[in-house]
Amino acid sequence: MADAELCHPVSDFSAEPPPSRGGLTAHKRRCCSGFLHHIPKRLSKGGQIAARRGFMPLSRLPQPVDPAFPKYGYAILRDLSVNCRLSRTDRRALADHIQRADRIGTGVHIMLARLLSQKLLYTPVLEDDRIGPPFVTGGARLTYAIDDLEPRSGHLRHETTPDFGQDSIPVATLLGATLIGMQAGSRAPLLQADGSFRRLWLIGLGDG
């Protein structure tokens, strides 16, 4: 959620009489009701109290820790991203995929947004006419294998519509988001929806 949505203004109550012994005045309760609704429930007790009193915007409060995705997971995704290359066209498309995943904000889309965000941050970008094999770009046909399973082939596509055939690999999936920008012959960790990793091998590009 964007900072603008998290940072709700807190009314200035200095002109009001002090609250009764029973608690907040009715006016304060009305002004705070929308603000309190957005306080993350998993914040520490002190953090919730600070938010209620309007001491800081929510974007600066301690965020809850996601037990499904350990800290070292970000380092793994960063290393993957540094070794990839993106065209400018693909990078713009990744930004659109991230926005879509953020809007959904549940399940596998949480992990997808994390993976794509790391690629936007750390993957070097090349002009469209200076990138190509051995790096994977949108529309490329490629062959890959997961763990020790049989190799499979498919077309990597940015489109999310399901009418491109069974061999289509949408970039807006964990597999497609990992493959985009990889170099033929390289291996990489393949992020899963539960935060774990499998092994991905990009065998080659083309029909080979």
Side-chain angles (χ1 to χ4, degrees), residues 107-124:
V108 68
H109 295 92
I110 297 175
M111 295 298 173
L112 177 62
R114 287 186 176 136
L115 170 54
L116 292 174
S117 296
Q118 295 298 299
K119 288 214 169 180
L120 281 187
L121 282 172
Y122 297 109
T123 301

Side-chain angles (χ1 to χ4, degrees), residues 11-35:
S11 298
D12 183 4
F13 300 118
S14 58
E16 284 193 299
S20 63
R21 292 182 179 179
L24 292 174
T25 65
H27 176 62
K28 279 187 179 181
R29 286 194 294 270
R30 287 195 302 271
C31 291
C32 289
S33 60
F35 176 72

Side-chain angles (χ1 to χ4, degrees), residues 117-188:
S117 296
Q118 295 298 299
K119 288 214 169 180
L120 281 187
L121 282 172
Y122 297 109
T123 301
V125 178
L126 301 176
E127 297 296 336
D128 288 14
D129 59 356
R130 297 187 60 188
I131 193 170
F135 295 103
V136 177
T137 56
R141 181 165 181 82
L142 50 84
T143 302
Y144 66 94
I146 299 175
D147 296 333
D148 297 320
L149 302 178
E150 288 293 322
R152 302 184 63 179
S153 297
H155 277 104
L156 189 65
R157 300 187 184 276
H158 287 293
E159 297 85 354
T160 57
T161 52
D163 56 350
F164 285 100
Q166 294 184 348
D167 69 342
S168 178
I169 306 172
V171 175
T173 61
L174 292 176
L175 174 60
T178 302
L179 285 168
I180 190 74
M182 281 184 62
Q183 184 172 0
S186 63
R187 300 174 186 266

